[in-house]
């Protein structure tokens, strides 16, 4: 198709909108209200942890149904890469800010992602129904962070909304459609579909599946999809509701099944009428990847704690890897030796050589029965999590338990031996004077002669002025009984010390 034909076939397409902002500022609740379903209650802990896409219809000012595709991105800091992908894939971004809490660190991070990707944006000030809502203060905080709204020193459209009651949401949708018209978003239905992978995971029954956003063209049954070097025939195409469809066009989120390997999330996809053409595309892509894996510049002297990691979707794997990389220790490091999408298998457990040190984690997945039985026999603990920050807290504790300890010896008292008295077997009575610190009953002492340690002993009796005591302080004379194999002589120095593990 020549360029003129392409231009003639271009028609207006629906905007793909990414919803971004700080955790708990109401992104999922907003989408929930818009699409009249409930995501928030289904999510563990009320936090969205998988990127998802939804289509909604909204009547414009002419009474015509206009389609809008929403991307729901997770708000937790660990999912920043997933949010970045959402921004790269989207045509328009909505920055959601709570009128209660104002601008937060993830608000700034989201804004940075939006501006770096040069995406048209509008701001939704949410929770205006709350008694503690302060819209003007929120606008002021946005301006202080160089986010300038219309009528507030800038040109960024703003909608004041309540995702809970629905107040202002119609106005928000109108603003999206106006912004989409201004951007003149277009696509050609006659071309083979292309777009991006927004999620990929392993389904135990249906194999490897991926969620795609079509940015141009049309996909139909019988075509073949190529994502880098992974391919899939479009035998089954599902829309965002999980309904089977024969075809789909631009701005639509779809799910297809049967990839030969898990496709890279965030990668672009292309579709082909002939499977051979898709295979050739994948082969050429792989041939172009001739970048050698850089060797490690030096081996770490740290203790390595191996981790086997399995998660429900590849986006979760990516986020967990980022969290694990943050957990630091001077003497130890986590190293992910195996990772993947899907349940924990028996082979995962059998690959572990040291069950005491290895950590096996399942995030939103289960373990096969054989894997659980093998782990129990070998004394290997499998830890399952559904919320990422709880997993991070647990891993931090495990690092503290497993890291190597450094022994430090601290001298807490020094005394000079003035007289050496009777000795029986390994016990000896001596008299001395504390030079510094204190001498304590039950303590362990180094026996020093001419500045060299000749042995050690334990204080089993301590007296001051012939009265039993538990401690003698600096400048005080004392008598004590020491249990030691070494004979203590007049003029020796005894040093009381403590051993600490750090």
């Amino acid at each position: 198709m020549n360029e003129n034909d392409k231009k003639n076939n271009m028609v207006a397409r629906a905007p793909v909108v990414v919803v971004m902002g700080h955790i708990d500022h109401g992104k999922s609740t907003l989408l929930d209200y818009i699409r009249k379903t409930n995501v928030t209650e289904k999510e563990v802990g009320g936090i969205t942890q998988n990127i998802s896409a939804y289509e909604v219809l909204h009547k414009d000012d002419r009474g015509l149904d206009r389609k809008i595709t929403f991307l729901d991105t997770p708000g937790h800091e660990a999912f920043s890469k997933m949010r970045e992908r959402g921004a790269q894939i989207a045509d328009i971004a909505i920055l959601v800010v709570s009128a209660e809490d104002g601008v937060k660190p993830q608000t700034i991070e989201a804004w940075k992602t939006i501006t770096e990707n040069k995406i048209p944006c509008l701001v939704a000030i949410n929770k205006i129904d709350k008694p503690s809502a302060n819209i003007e203060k929120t606008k002021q905080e946005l301006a202080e962070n160089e986010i300038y709204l219309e009528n507030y020193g800038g040109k960024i459209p703003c909608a004041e909304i309540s995702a809970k009651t629905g107040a202002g949401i119609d106005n928000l949708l109108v603003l999206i459609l106006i912004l989409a018209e201004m951007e003149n978003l277009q696509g050609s239905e006659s071309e083979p579909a292309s777009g991006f992978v927004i999620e990929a995971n392993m389904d135990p029954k249906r194999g490897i599946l991926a969620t795609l956003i079509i940015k141009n063209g049309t996909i139909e049954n019988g075509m073949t999809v190529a994502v880098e070097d992974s391919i899939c025939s479009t035998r089954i195409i599902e829309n965002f509701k999980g309904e089977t469809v024969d075809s789909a066009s631009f701005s639509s989120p779809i799910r297809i099944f049967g990839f030969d390997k898990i496709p890279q999330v965030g990668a672009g996809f292309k579709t082909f009428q002939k499977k051979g053409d898709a295979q050739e595309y994948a082969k050429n892509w792989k041939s172009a990847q001739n970048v050698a894996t850089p060797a490690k510049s030096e081996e770490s002297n740290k203790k390595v704690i191996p981790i086997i990691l399995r998660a429900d979707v590849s986006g979760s794997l990516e986020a967990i890897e980022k969290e694990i990389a943050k957990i630091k220790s001077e003497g130890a490091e986590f190293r992910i030796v195996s990772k993947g999408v899907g349940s924990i298998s028996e082979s995962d457990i059998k690959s572990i050589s040291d069950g005491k040190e290895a950590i096996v984690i399942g995030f939103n997945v289960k373990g096969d029965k054989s894997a659980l039985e093998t782990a129990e026999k070998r004394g290997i603990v499998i830890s399952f999590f559904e919320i990422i920050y709880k997993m991070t807290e647990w891993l931090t504790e495990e690092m503290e338990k497993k890291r190597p300890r450094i022994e430090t010896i601290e001298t807490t008292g020094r005394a000079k031996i003035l007289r050496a008295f009777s000795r029986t077997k390994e016990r000896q009575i001596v008299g001395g004077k504390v030079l510094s610190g204190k001498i304590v009953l039950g303590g362990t002492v180094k026996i020093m002669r001419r500045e060299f340690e000749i042995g050690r002993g334990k204080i089993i009796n301590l007296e001051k002025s012939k009265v039993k005591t538990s401690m003698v302080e600096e400048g005080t004379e004392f008598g004590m009984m020491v249990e030691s194999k070494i004979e203590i002589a007049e003029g020796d120095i005894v040093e009381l010390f403590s051993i600490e593990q750090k």
Side-chain angles (χ1 to χ4, degrees):
M1 186 181 290
N2 62 42
E3 290 301 316
N4 288 332
D5 289 337
K6 283 185 179 179
K7 287 179 182 178
N8 292 335
N9 280 288
M10 299 296 274
V11 295
R13 66 170 178 83
V16 177
V17 181
V18 64
V19 182
M20 305 178 76
H22 190 78
I23 190 169
D24 291 336
H25 278 198
K27 300 181 298 297
S28 292
T29 311
L30 168 62
L31 286 171
D32 174 46
Y33 186 91
I34 291 171
R35 66 182 181 264
K36 301 297 182 184
T37 60
N38 198 315
V39 166
T40 314
E41 285 182 8
K42 291 178 186 176
E43 292 289 349
V44 180
I47 302 172
T48 307
Q49 297 190 135
N50 294 333
I51 191 166
S52 302
Y54 312 89
E55 284 181 356
V56 298
L57 290 174
H58 182 69
K59 289 190 184 298
D60 63 12
D61 52 6
R62 293 163 291 189
L64 300 173
D65 282 335
R66 299 277 300 278
K67 190 168 72 172
I68 305 171
T69 297
F70 284 95
L71 295 177
D72 182 9
T73 69
H76 189 279
E77 193 274 336
F79 292 82
S80 61
K81 281 191 179 179
M82 293 174 73
R83 287 201 298 281
E84 287 166 12
R85 282 201 300 271
Q88 290 160 1
I89 294 162
D91 303 306
I92 293 170
I94 298 176
L95 181 66
V96 177
V97 189
S98 166
E100 275 190 311
D101 302 330
V103 175
K104 292 290 182 184
Q106 283 163 22
T107 313
I108 303 303
E109 183 198 348
W111 176 249
K112 187 179 176 183
T113 301
I114 291 165
T115 53
E116 283 176 355
N117 286 279
K118 298 179 180 179
I119 305 171
C121 174
L122 57 92
V123 170
I125 298 177
N126 191 25
K127 302 188 180 183
I128 61 172
D129 57 303
K130 298 286 186 179
S132 56
N134 190 329
I135 297 169
E136 288 306 308
K137 184 184 176 186
T138 302
K139 289 181 178 180
Q140 181 64 43
E141 286 183 9
L142 287 165
E144 287 168 4
N145 286 280
E146 299 181 357
I147 305 172
Y148 302 111
L149 306 181
E150 283 180 348
N151 304 320
Y152 226 87
K155 297 180 179 179
I156 301 168
C158 175
E160 297 166 12
I161 66 166
S162 166
K164 189 175 180 181
T165 67
I169 288 180
D170 275 351
N171 182 43
L172 175 67
L173 297 175
V174 168
L175 285 175
I176 291 169
L177 293 174
I178 291 171
L179 204 51
E181 283 187 6
M182 291 172 64
E183 291 300 311
N184 191 29
L185 304 173
Q186 293 185 323
S188 170
E189 291 181 331
S190 60
E191 292 182 38
S194 60
F196 296 94
V197 180
I198 61 169
E199 198 49 83
N201 64 296
M202 171 73 78
D203 187 294
K205 295 178 181 177
R206 297 197 282 184
I208 299 171
L209 59 89
T211 304
L212 315 175
I213 284 283
I214 302 170
K215 292 301 291 284
N216 189 43
T218 299
I219 190 169
E220 297 174 333
N221 278 333
M223 298 179 83
T224 303
V225 175
V227 182
E228 296 177 345
D229 61 340
S230 57
I231 63 172
C232 176
S233 297
T234 57
R235 289 186 294 271
I236 302 172
I237 305 173
E238 288 183 355
N239 64 16
F240 75 97
K241 296 177 184 176
E243 300 165 341
T244 303
V245 294
D246 294 327
S247 65
S249 192
F250 38 71
S251 303
S252 292
I254 58 166
R255 181 172 284 177
I256 60 174
F257 305 82
F259 278 92
D260 57 355
K261 62 183 287 189
I262 294 180
Q264 179 67 37
V265 175
F269 76 86
K270 291 182 178 293
T271 52
F272 300 86
Q273 295 289 351
K274 296 178 180 178
K275 187 175 182 179
D277 292 342
Q279 290 172 329
E280 185 67 21
Y281 171 88
K283 183 181 176 181
N284 291 339
W285 183 90
K286 196 168 185 178
S287 298
Q289 306 305 303
N290 290 325
V291 181
T293 304
K296 282 194 171 181
S297 56
E298 58 182 67
E299 281 298 315
S300 172
N301 291 321
K302 292 182 177 182
K303 174 184 177 182
V304 173
I305 304 167
I307 292 178
I308 290 176
L309 176 62
R310 295 289 179 267
D312 54 343
V313 292
S314 52
S316 296
L317 275 180
E318 183 183 72
I320 293 167
E321 285 185 85
K322 184 176 179 181
E323 286 296 283
I324 290 173
K326 289 181 183 177
I327 302 170
K328 304 290 185 183
S329 171
E330 287 185 10
E333 65 180 11
F334 286 130
R335 187 173 296 169
I336 299 172
V337 295
S338 176
K339 64 180 180 179
V341 172
S343 59
I344 296 164
S345 67
E346 185 180 8
S347 61
D348 292 330
I349 304 303
K350 286 183 175 179
S351 69
I352 298 169
S353 57
D354 187 350
K356 290 181 180 178
E357 293 298 339
I359 290 174
V360 185
I361 294 175
F363 187 79
N364 277 332
V365 296
K366 296 179 180 179
D368 295 343
K369 187 179 178 182
S370 56
L372 299 175
E373 289 173 353
T374 306
E376 188 175 357
K377 285 177 186 175
R378 297 182 60 180
I380 295 169
V381 177
I382 304 175
S383 302
F384 296 97
F385 297 93
E386 293 179 318
I387 300 177
I388 196 166
Y389 65 79
K390 290 190 176 180
M391 181 213 66
T392 307
E393 289 170 358
W394 179 82
L395 277 173
T396 304
E397 291 171 5
E398 286 299 300
M399 173 66 85
E400 182 60 27
K401 289 178 191 173
K402 293 178 182 290
R403 70 173 177 82
R405 293 294 189 266
I406 301 170
E407 282 192 353
T408 58
I409 298 175
E410 184 179 356
T411 301
T412 56
R414 296 179 78 247
K416 185 174 184 178
I417 303 303
L418 302 177
R419 293 189 68 181
F421 297 103
S422 60
R423 177 179 174 82
T424 57
K425 292 186 179 179
E426 293 185 358
R427 293 187 175 188
Q428 185 177 0
I429 296 172
V430 297
K433 183 177 181 179
V434 182
L435 301 176
S436 62
K438 55 192 176 183
I439 301 298
V440 179
L441 179 66
T444 302
V445 292
K446 295 177 187 176
I447 302 163
M448 310 292 290
R449 188 169 294 167
R450 289 186 290 275
E451 298 184 3
F452 292 99
E453 181 182 335
I454 60 170
R456 296 190 180 190
K458 185 177 181 180
I459 302 168
I460 57 174
N461 189 31
L462 189 61
E463 293 184 0
K464 182 170 64 175
S465 302
K466 296 185 179 180
V467 178
K468 288 186 177 182
T469 184
S470 61
M471 183 182 69
V472 185
E473 294 179 332
E474 186 176 330
T476 306
E477 292 190 1
F478 62 89
M480 68 177 176
M481 182 181 286
V482 179
E483 189 174 70
S484 175
K485 293 179 180 179
I486 304 298
E487 186 172 345
I488 303 171
E490 187 178 313
D492 287 348
I493 300 291
V494 293
E495 292 184 353
L496 184 72
F497 66 92
S498 62
I499 299 174
E500 287 187 21
Q501 289 200 341
K502 295 182 179 178

